Amino acid sequence: QVHLVESGGGLVQPGGSLRLSCAASGSIFSIHDMGWYRQAPGKQRELVATITSGGRTNYADSVKGRFTISRNNAKNTVYLQMNSLKPEDTAVYYCNVLVITGGYWGQGTQVTVSS
């Protein structure tokens, strides 16, 4: 079993920044891909960014140039630095990790961008 704890969400004004963190613990032998997804009210969950164990990253077009995903393999933690936030970035953000036994989701953290 893998347990994920997310932190860093909150309320921020347009143009502001937030940094999300997600720490994995439990039966972890090695983590493959790590990523962030988000779900806005009335919409489907969508990919925000992913990062492989080797550091290769992938971003949704809507966040390219504004968000940066990174990971600390020693701490089994993935981060999402979000800059130049827009109201349309408002959503619940979920962490996802892929290990040998399958994929796991965090509980989600709310990000609200509003003046």
Side-chain angles (χ1 to χ4, degrees), residues 30-95:
S30 66
I31 299 178
H32 302 302
D33 295 353
M34 306 181 82
W36 290 95
Y37 294 72
R38 66 186 181 187
Q39 187 166 18
K43 295 187 177 181
Q44 290 188 331
R45 190 172 298 187
E46 63 177 4
L47 179 148
V48 176
T50 60
I51 184 168
T52 68
S53 57
R56 183 180 300 174
T57 58
N58 179 54
Y59 295 93
D61 288 343
S62 59
V63 306
K64 283 181 180 177
R66 301 187 298 122
F67 291 10
T68 302
I69 190 171
S70 60
R71 62 190 284 172
N72 183 324
N73 291 329
K75 295 183 178 181
N76 292 326
T77 300
V78 62
Y79 307 94
L80 185 68
Q81 178 66 43
M82 304 185 294
N83 298 329
S84 302
L85 282 160
K86 304 176 181 179
E88 51 263 43
D89 294 318
T90 295
V92 177
Y93 283 69
Y94 296 91
C95 170

